[in-house]
Amino acid sequence: MTTTYVNRPQLDDGGLLRTEMFIGGRWRAASSGGTFEVRDPATGDVLAEVADGGATDGRAAIEAAAAAWPAWKSLTAKQRSAALKRLHGLIVAHSADLASIITAEMGKPRREAAWEVGLAADYFEWFAEEAKRAYGEVIPTHDPSIRLVVIEQPIGVAVAITPWNFPLSTIARKVAPALAAGCTVIVKPAEDTPLSALALAELADRAGIPPGVLNVVTAWDPVEVGNELTANPTVRKVSFTGSTEVGRMLMRQSSDTLKKLSLELGGNAPFIVFEDADLDAALRGAMISKYRNGGQTCICANRIFVHESVIDEFSRKMSEAASNFKVGRGDDDSSEIGPLINAAALEKVERLVEDAIDRGARVVVGGKPHELGGTYFQPTVIEGATIDMAIANEEIFGPVANLFSFSTEEEAIELANSTPYGLCAYAYTRDTARSWRVSEALEFGMVGINTGMFTTEVVPFGGIKESGIGREGGRQGLREYMETKYIAMGGIQG
Ligand code: ADP
């Protein structure tokens, strides 16, 4: 396959830049021979041409995963753990190169890419440990001649469909528990960011993960391969991170074969600043929650509710901080906010901001595409948005903060909950009783009190309502890839 690297990331280990699919332990061109271009979001330059897979390739990956499953699940947990530890070690050893790949294809600043690589490594370390803790149970019996036992077994061939905003860690969050549990996996990475997934496959191969245990299928148009991965009866589990709209569709597609599903979908995170909050701490938390990854995370503060008595001061401070951000290329070490992923993302952010302005909101700072051009957008703060505006109901996925005012705790909770989403919520208060009341009343899978960032591999990450099904990470994450089996051992003479 010809590969054109116009703006190739400089790597110590060039072997990590892979452009073919990884199926059954072999690097393969697409069965159609087609390729698609991966572009640097900062410039639009072509970074690589990657295999453009379709249904046939999806099927080949499923067959490879099914063939590898019996041997992989028969290993002891300790043996699988050892393989995951080797992969963890390789991720750590190649973290600078992996960060360069993430920055090149996704655009985020290098320091954020490095953080993401660390998180990806942490998932492998954590699930290497958890592999050994897939405990079952023995239940006191109802009948003296029978013993009641529950065991946990790997579910089988699993599919991971992942987004571009965390091109490595969202994959690690699925692949590590799947492999730990004894499943084999097919990863279908986002079309904007396949290179991180392929680099992971290269490292898995080097770590001695057997052929077929981890497969990566890439495609420009996900529909054809997606249909195969969700309809094929051999696949027993689909784990998806992405938009609610696509999640709903994959759930429908998986329903004929009743696959087990994990869905980590959109969020519309409220960030509540009460009048008793430490305002500077709240500001720090809001800046991280809102502007991390250029605002392109599903747990970014999407609606910032500030008590009416402190909103003016908060808005002034937030606008000052936002206007100080250094916007620029991810591979410029001084950059704090990179470009948006693509032109469609820029259009969406522009549309949401213009709609808010048309309907009476005020831009305090920013509000426009950045002078740098391309897909850069100015760090923005908007005041006076109302809850019925599109900007309060859709995920912004850009560096735009919108502030709403409230007057009572009840009102704040009602506003926060007035969304079909339920992924993540934040609140700042120094009142302990209020912390508990608010944490319990917020209808979200994750709540951060007095913190703007709490992602770690050791906790169950996931949402409720239309933000998804299931949890990733923590001890819960392993169970998503296992089935519970009840065994009754009869014929025992008491
Ligand atoms: P985002 O809005 O973050 O780009 P998407 O939900 O569109 O999120 O994409 C997330 C992942 O889902 C990507 O890997 C994308 O290719 C995949 N995807 C999108 N549409 C489909 C589909 N019809 N079938 C399978 N995968 C899909």
Side-chain angles (χ1 to χ4, degrees):
M1 192 188 308
T2 45
T3 303
T4 323
Y5 293 112
V6 174
N7 202 358
R8 184 182 180 129
Q10 296 305 306
L11 304 183
D12 291 335
D13 184 342
L16 295 180
L17 264 183
R18 287 286 187 173
T19 57
E20 293 187 306
M21 291 184 276
F22 190 63
I23 298 176
R26 286 181 36 228
W27 294 98
R28 299 196 199 176
S31 56
S32 68
T35 60
F36 66 95
E37 291 171 340
V38 181
R39 291 176 181 272
D40 176 346
T43 57
D45 290 342
V46 177
L47 292 172
E49 284 179 25
V50 167
D52 191 8
T56 311
D57 304 293
R59 210 153 36 241
I62 293 168
E63 281 161 16
W69 188 44
W72 182 247
K73 76 172 171 183
S74 302
L75 292 180
T76 63
K78 189 165 172 146
Q79 287 169 320
R80 286 197 299 272
S81 173
L84 292 178
K85 280 183 192 158
R86 289 195 299 273
L87 179 49
H88 166 259
L90 287 174
I91 294 171
V92 171
H94 292 88
S95 50
D97 279 351
L98 291 168
S100 296
I101 294 172
I102 292 174
T103 292
E105 66 177 350
M106 189 272 158
K108 69 178 69 180
R110 269 198 66 90
R111 116 186 49 159
E112 292 197 43
W115 178 86
E116 181 181 346
V117 177
L119 181 64
D122 288 342
Y123 280 114
F124 280 99
E125 181 186 50
W126 170 260
F127 284 109
E129 293 157 350
E130 284 300 288
K132 295 179 274 184
R133 297 186 190 114
Y135 304 130
E137 56 184 319
V138 179
I139 298 170
T141 190
H142 65 304
D143 177 338
S145 71
I146 299 181
R147 297 294 178 271
L148 312 177
V149 180
V150 174
I151 64 169
E152 298 289 332
Q153 293 182 298
I155 186 163
V157 174
V159 161
I161 300 178
T162 55
W164 50 263
N165 59 344
F166 289 92
L168 190 67
S169 65
T170 51
I171 295 176
R173 185 137 88 186
K174 299 179 192 305
V175 167
L179 299 194
C183 295
T184 52
V185 188
I186 299 129
V187 178
K188 207 300 286 168
E191 50 277 20
D192 286 308
T193 58
L195 300 177
S196 303
L198 295 171
L200 182 69
E202 168 67 24
L203 291 179
D205 193 27
R206 293 185 195 176
I209 306 270
V213 170
L214 172 63
N215 307 275
V216 178
V217 175
T218 48
W220 174 245
D221 181 348
V223 172
E224 192 183 313
V225 68
N227 285 344
E228 179 65 31
L229 296 177
T230 49
N232 192 309
T234 302
V235 174
R236 294 310 317 144
K237 163 89 193 184
V238 172
S239 178
F240 169 74
T241 299
S243 60
T244 294
E245 189 193 345
V246 173
R248 258 194 266 278
M249 200 184 63
L250 296 179
M251 189 173 184
R252 273 196 292 272
Q253 289 176 197
S254 302
S255 65
D256 280 343
T257 46
L258 285 174
K259 297 190 199 316
K260 195 163 165 167
L261 289 168
S262 297
L263 302 173
E264 203 267 276
L265 309 176
N268 184 6
F271 188 107
I272 308 172
V273 182
F274 287 102
E275 66 278 20
D276 60 33
D278 173 340
L279 220 53
D280 289 333
L283 178 71
R284 282 194 300 278
M287 295 307 288
I288 291 173
S289 167
K290 176 68 254 180
Y291 295 103
R292 185 161 77 94
N293 217 25
Q296 303 173 106
T297 89
C298 50
I299 56 173
C300 278
N302 212 55
R303 298 168 295 154
I304 303 177
F305 300 107
V306 188
H307 190 267
E308 59 192 8
S309 64
V310 291
I311 191 165
D312 289 345
E313 184 184 352
F314 191 84
S315 171
R316 185 173 46 73
K317 288 184 168 172
M318 190 157 195
S319 305
E320 216 174 279
S323 57
N324 284 334
F325 273 128
K326 169 86 175 30
V327 178
R329 287 186 58 86
D331 57 13
D332 173 346
D333 281 343
S334 65
S335 295
E336 294 168 306
I337 294 189
L340 296 177
I341 186 69
N342 53 32
L346 182 73
E347 275 163 30
K348 179 182 182 188
V349 174
E350 277 189 273
R351 169 175 66 77
L352 292 176
V353 171
E354 278 166 20
D355 174 75
I357 295 168
D358 287 349
R359 298 174 66 186
R362 288 180 309 284
V363 170
V364 189
V365 61
K368 294 201 170 64
H370 198 275
E371 306 73 69
L372 287 171
T375 57
Y376 292 97
F377 198 84
Q378 295 172 335
T380 297
V381 176
I382 290 179
E383 270 183 2
T386 52
I387 204 75
D388 54 323
M389 293 178 181
I391 205 162
N393 293 286
E394 293 180 38
E395 273 189 311
I396 302 169
F397 252 62
V400 177
N402 50 349
L403 308 185
F404 305 79
S405 136
F406 71 90
S407 51
T408 66
E409 182 179 314
E410 293 69 30
E411 186 193 1
I413 289 169
E414 197 184 318
L415 286 168
N417 286 341
S418 65
T419 168
Y421 294 106
L423 186 58
C424 178
Y426 307 84
Y428 273 74
T429 172
R430 281 185 279 208
D431 178 336
T432 313
R434 172 176 271 169
S435 299
W436 278 108
R437 280 196 306 274
V438 170
S439 301
E440 289 173 2
L442 286 169
E443 295 169 349
F444 294 82
M446 299 175 282
V447 175
I449 299 291
N450 296 326
T451 173
M453 182 163 161
F454 48 89
T455 305
T456 147
E457 76 284 5
V458 305
V459 298
F461 186 102
I464 61 172
K465 294 164 73 181
E466 293 181 25
S467 287
I469 297 173
R471 295 293 180 270
E472 299 193 292
R475 69 183 166 77
Q476 292 84 352
L478 188 68
R479 301 302 159 126
E480 298 280 328
Y481 295 89
M482 306 200 86
E483 289 285 22
T484 298
K485 182 180 284 174
Y486 155 48
I487 303 172
M489 288 281 181
I492 297 167
Q493 302 311 315

